[in-house]
Amino acid sequence: MKGKIAVVGLGYVGLPLAILCHSKKFDVVGIDIDPSKIDSLKRGKSYLTDLEDSEIEQLSKSKHFAYSSNFSTVKEVDTIVICVPTPLNNKAEPNLDFVKKAFENMLPYLKPHQLIVVESSTYPGTTEEVLKPMLEIEGWEIGQNLYLGYSPERIDPGNQLFSLANIPKIISGSSLQCLHVLQDVYKEIFNELVPVKSTKIAEMTKIVENTQRFINISFMNELSKLSENLDIDIWEVIEAASTKPYGFMPYYPGPGIGGHCIPVDPLYLKWKAQELGLKTDFIDLAKKINDEQPAYIIERINRLVETGGKLLVIGLTYKKDINDLRESSSLPILEGLIDQGYEVQYHDPFIAQFTYHEVVYYHQDISSESLADYDCVILLTDHSQINFTLIEQKSKKVFDTRNCLDTTLPHVYKL
Ligand SMILES: NC(=O)c1ccc[n+]([C@@H]2O[C@H](COP(=O)([O-])OP(=O)(O)OC[C@H]3O[C@@H](n4cnc5c(N)ncnc54)[C@H](O)[C@@H]3O)[C@@H](O)[C@H]2O)c1
């Protein structure tokens, strides 16, 4: 084996990374504070849609893979990779509690010459200004007897085209020596490394990638409203513009941007800018447009169906083919429609049930008969396994926010 790695936080990022490290011949221990996750993994059950139970079962049989909720295992490894959440607090500001807690938990077990790599997305300066001092105050000399690096995670759950090993990996160190130590380990795991000069640059790179998407998707949402008023199909415009061989990158409108990254990371940057007394007008505008999008979708439904009508919402998750509801705009849309007095049901093969105002809503199967029973079907998430042809053929009316259906049909309406 090539060495021992502890992956802290076994969610959408940490679990696939732990599996990749194992496949590259590292001894791996996965650490998570959520006992239900550890239990599920020990029983060979996957909680991620990208991973089959059989893959987890195989891992649990491996002598080189272990799961634990106990941080003392950290003393047995060479490298510790931190993949815990970095959400927003209730003031929409960075909440680094999970990262700080992970550091606090492992501090008593650190041993000389270990490498710590932070993969959680965060604002520029976190590694140097928040995390490094937590180690130094305990007497560690970073770059001398302990190594600290930052390497943003670029995984796209549900995306079958890019595997974790094939996505170029940005790496950075708290010092040159830290970068070299990180490089030596990560070159064994990832096909292409992209070293940058500082942890700040690596942190900013990740936020810039996601902020660019945030701003551009919001722009497309604004354009889709304008195009509707101009009686122009925005999807056809984007398709046509995409034929330009340079300078145009397609982004698409939708029901609103969700997930743990795209709507969150730009606000980390906004907070950092505010700390310096600077403005982030693009981010503010994109956030405003994104926040308004669920209300706009509801307004479009109001134009198609009278209040009290029976609606089927297709897709609760923020994007296709995953079971992640975090920041999903489907939720405010569904809730808003319920509040307005519509009779709302949903279909999402990835979400068995959902509670709103203490009422439990269950995933509904769709069939020719059931579809014909709704006054309107609202397509919010385009999971691959959904039968779009059946929806197109059997629904009385459909509102499609993902450009999946044939709009030449008179009962199909598009964003
Ligand atoms: N989900 C994505 O698509 C994605 C993509 C790129 C980057 N990221 C970033 O990666 C980080 C992790 O995101 P995620 O989607 O994997 O989150 P997640 O919620 O799916 O997983 C995080 C895991 O960390 C565990 N955890 C929390 N605190 C812990 C602690 N102190 N010690 C041990 N375990 C702890 C949680 O129980 C959970 O299982 C975030 O910073 C996120 O922004 C996410």
Side-chain angles (χ1 to χ4, degrees):
M1 302 307 280
K2 291 177 181 162
K4 285 194 173 184
I5 296 187
V7 177
V8 178
L10 298 174
Y12 290 95
V13 163
L15 184 56
L17 181 62
I19 292 172
L20 175 65
C21 294
H22 177 257
S23 75
K24 299 286 179 175
K25 306 280 177 248
F26 283 89
D27 258 310
V28 179
V29 54
I31 301 175
D32 203 293
I33 49 165
D34 181 350
S36 70
K37 283 208 169 104
I38 299 297
D39 183 54
S40 174
L41 294 169
K42 281 185 174 158
R43 284 185 295 110
K45 294 275 169 229
S46 172
Y47 44 78
L48 298 184
T49 38
D50 286 347
L51 290 169
E52 299 289 334
D53 285 352
S54 55
E55 287 176 78
I56 304 295
E57 255 168 54
Q58 265 196 329
L59 278 180
S60 46
K61 285 182 198 149
S62 166
K63 290 198 305 273
H64 302 289
F65 205 101
Y67 307 107
S68 179
S69 38
N70 186 342
F71 273 79
S72 65
T73 47
V74 154
K75 60 177 182 261
E76 293 154 23
V77 306
D78 311 298
T79 302
I80 305 152
V81 187
I82 308 290
C83 304
V84 297
T86 41
L88 297 167
N89 65 19
N90 53 14
K91 290 190 210 146
E93 292 169 346
N95 172 2
L96 291 182
D97 289 355
F98 295 95
V99 185
K100 288 186 195 162
K101 190 78 197 156
F103 266 63
E104 281 166 20
N105 287 339
M106 68 183 179
L107 274 174
Y109 306 108
L110 292 179
K111 61 174 194 187
H113 302 292
Q114 281 179 319
L115 165 68
I116 301 166
V117 191
V118 180
E119 294 238 353
S120 302
S121 311
T122 186
Y123 60 81
T126 307
T127 306
E128 299 307 311
E129 294 157 19
V130 180
L131 304 176
K132 189 176 169 188
M134 287 181 74
L135 301 168
E136 285 173 333
I137 205 159
E138 296 293 316
W140 292 104
E141 291 175 62
I142 306 306
Q144 305 291 320
N145 60 5
L146 197 70
Y147 309 102
L148 177 63
Y150 180 80
S151 177
E153 184 49 66
R154 290 166 146 177
I155 192 173
D156 182 15
N159 189 332
Q160 304 297 325
L161 289 179
F162 299 100
S163 75
L164 206 50
N166 289 332
I167 302 169
K169 193 82 173 109
I170 307 276
I171 53 165
S172 65
S174 209
S175 69
L176 201 55
Q177 183 59 17
C178 294
L179 177 64
H180 289 155
V181 175
L182 171 52
Q183 207 158 11
D184 280 347
V185 179
Y186 271 29
K187 74 175 191 304
E188 301 293 333
I189 304 169
F190 300 97
N191 296 354
E192 184 184 343
L193 299 182
V194 184
V196 295
K197 284 196 196 76
S198 67
T199 54
K200 237 183 190 179
I201 289 178
E203 290 158 338
M204 184 72 161
T205 303
K206 172 71 190 175
I207 299 236
V208 167
E209 288 168 10
N210 283 353
T211 303
Q212 190 198 54
R213 278 186 72 70
F214 187 60
I215 290 169
N216 282 287
I217 297 170
S218 296
F219 177 47
M220 289 301 142
N221 282 338
E222 182 174 66
L223 289 184
S224 80
K225 290 183 203 166
L226 175 63
S227 301
E228 199 234 335
N229 282 280
L230 293 170
D231 200 17
I232 289 170
D233 181 340
I234 184 67
W235 304 92
E236 198 174 340
V237 172
I238 298 167
E239 205 182 309
S242 303
T243 60
K244 186 176 178 182
Y246 52 88
F248 183 85
M249 166 91 179
Y251 291 91
Y252 301 95
I257 305 160
H260 183 50
C261 297
I262 313 284
V264 173
D265 296 356
L267 302 189
Y268 268 61
L269 192 57
K270 174 184 164 66
W271 177 85
K272 188 67 191 175
Q274 272 175 340
E275 207 187 46
L276 301 171
L278 298 171
K279 293 197 298 173
T280 48
D281 292 340
F282 275 111
I283 293 174
D284 297 348
L285 183 58
K287 176 164 167 45
K288 179 176 174 292
I289 293 171
N290 192 46
D291 289 348
E292 288 169 355
Q293 194 67 356
Y296 175 66
I297 303 291
I298 292 172
E299 184 204 315
R300 294 286 300 267
I301 303 303
N302 292 157
R303 287 192 237 156
L304 296 175
V305 189
E306 282 185 24
T307 312
K310 191 171 175 185
L311 307 176
L312 179 70
V313 168
I314 307 256
L316 290 193
T317 62
Y318 79 93
K319 70 170 176 177
K320 70 194 276 188
D321 299 340
I322 58 161
N323 58 356
D324 194 348
L325 281 177
R326 287 178 292 181
E327 319 291 329
S328 174
S329 59
S330 295
L331 302 181
I333 293 171
L334 192 113
E335 292 164 359
L337 292 167
I338 293 169
D339 290 346
Q340 287 192 357
Y342 288 101
E343 185 187 339
V344 189
Q345 297 187 331
Y346 82 89
H347 170 84
D348 191 320
F350 293 97
I351 306 293
Q353 64 183 67
F354 153 81
T355 306
Y356 181 56
H357 284 332
E358 294 176 11
V359 178
V360 184
Y361 296 81
Y362 295 96
H363 158 74
Q364 303 292 317
D365 284 331
I366 52 173
S367 65
S368 303
E369 296 73 38
S370 69
L371 283 168
D373 196 34
Y374 297 101
D375 296 306
C376 187
V377 173
I378 307 154
L379 181 55
L380 297 181
T381 316
D382 49 343
H383 295 304
S384 304
Q385 59 181 279
I386 288 173
N387 187 340
F388 298 114
T389 313
L390 188 73
I391 292 170
E392 208 170 72
Q393 286 173 350
K394 300 296 175 186
S395 309
K396 281 185 209 154
K397 275 183 193 171
V398 196
F399 183 63
D400 175 8
T401 68
R402 298 287 186 178
N403 194 31
C404 292
L405 308 179
D406 177 2
T407 30
T408 58
L409 298 167
H411 65 292
V412 174
Y413 302 83
K414 254 191 223 178
L415 187 63

